[in-house]
Amino acid sequence: MLKAILFDLDDTLIDWSTFTDNWEVREAKHLRGVFDYICREVYPLTDWNAYAQEYFNRVRDAWMNARDSLLAPHLGHILLDAALAQGIPEGALGVQECLNAYNWAAPESTYAFPDVPAALRILRENNIKIGIVTNAFQPMTLRDIEMKTHGLLDFFPECRISAADVGYLKPHPKIFQFALECLGTEPHETIFVGDNPVADIAGAQGAGLKAVMRVKHPTQPLISGLVVPDGAINTLNDLLLLLDKWYPGWR
Ligand SMILES: [Mg+2]
């Protein structure tokens, strides 16, 4: 019996193909907010470029290390550690302060896929629990800002999980187990929907869930290496039709 569906966030529910900004320029703007906050409220740092370089080096190293370890980088800790490396006294600044000063917002050129709200509404009306599992280095409190902007937040009152909060990235089984505990369902009662063959499909299957791959174009190959999704969809409406086939009478 189907009880729950977990969704990846980026390029599964939120469309990033329309993102037109330069990511580093965008990040630098938020980083500057942290730097200015520190200078104003905490400690007189003098060298913006040194802080920015320290931050970007640490982000790069954290993601490099994560490729093998699957240990999730955490934006707040990197912001703080970069500041400590620039001479801020230990204990003078906290992670949450850094995140507040970062002042994150949804990029203007990203959107929820148009098929998403209607499908989520139908799932919830039919008592299917739904949740989010994202490989983000921002804690969920920051991704929530984007979800609210895109009108998605209220669909997911009970289970929204960012890798940064759990400490593990998909495809590590622990992040999927954490989500299942959050929903209170077993792997065989839960489906995962995502767009990344390794993180989402192989990861979910490794944790015992059925995995459905969202592909943007019907022509995109569905098999990547040895990863074979249990199902493939182009829109979330296709997901509802797939559920009709797998779980007749679910709605
Ligand atoms: Mg994705």
Side-chain angles (χ1 to χ4, degrees), residues 8-14 133-135 170 194-196 200:
D8 166 55
L9 188 55
D10 297 313
D11 286 320
T12 297
L13 301 184
I14 297 176
V133 182
T134 174
N135 262 3
K170 298 175 287 185
D195 69 299
N196 185 294
D200 296 324

Side-chain angles (χ1 to χ4, degrees), residues 19-82:
F19 178 71
T20 48
D21 294 4
N22 176 308
W23 178 263
E24 276 214 357
V25 170
R26 183 173 186 87
E27 250 211 305
K29 194 183 83 182
H30 293 282
L31 191 60
R32 183 72 204 207
V34 179
F35 179 82
D36 290 346
Y37 169 82
I38 293 169
C39 293
R40 200 174 59 242
E41 305 286 342
V42 182
Y43 186 84
L45 288 176
T46 51
D47 193 340
W48 153 244
N49 287 321
Y51 178 66
Q53 198 56 56
E54 183 77 39
Y55 168 82
F56 282 115
N57 287 345
R58 284 169 180 269
V59 170
R60 188 199 57 219
D61 292 349
W63 281 111
M64 287 280 279
N65 292 336
R67 287 211 286 210
D68 287 333
S69 68
L70 293 180
L71 296 176
H74 188 295
L75 169 65
H77 291 292
I78 297 175
L79 290 170
L80 177 58
D81 290 345

Side-chain angles (χ1 to χ4, degrees), residues 184-227:
T185 61
E186 298 293 325
H188 68 272
E189 302 167 325
T190 313
I191 287 177
F192 196 91
V193 180
D195 69 299
N196 185 294
V198 176
D200 296 324
I201 305 305
Q205 289 174 336
L209 285 72
K210 256 188 192 160
V212 174
M213 187 152 166
R214 177 169 190 151
V215 289
K216 284 188 191 124
H217 307 291
T219 51
Q220 186 173 333
L222 301 184
I223 297 172
S224 170
L226 297 175
V227 179

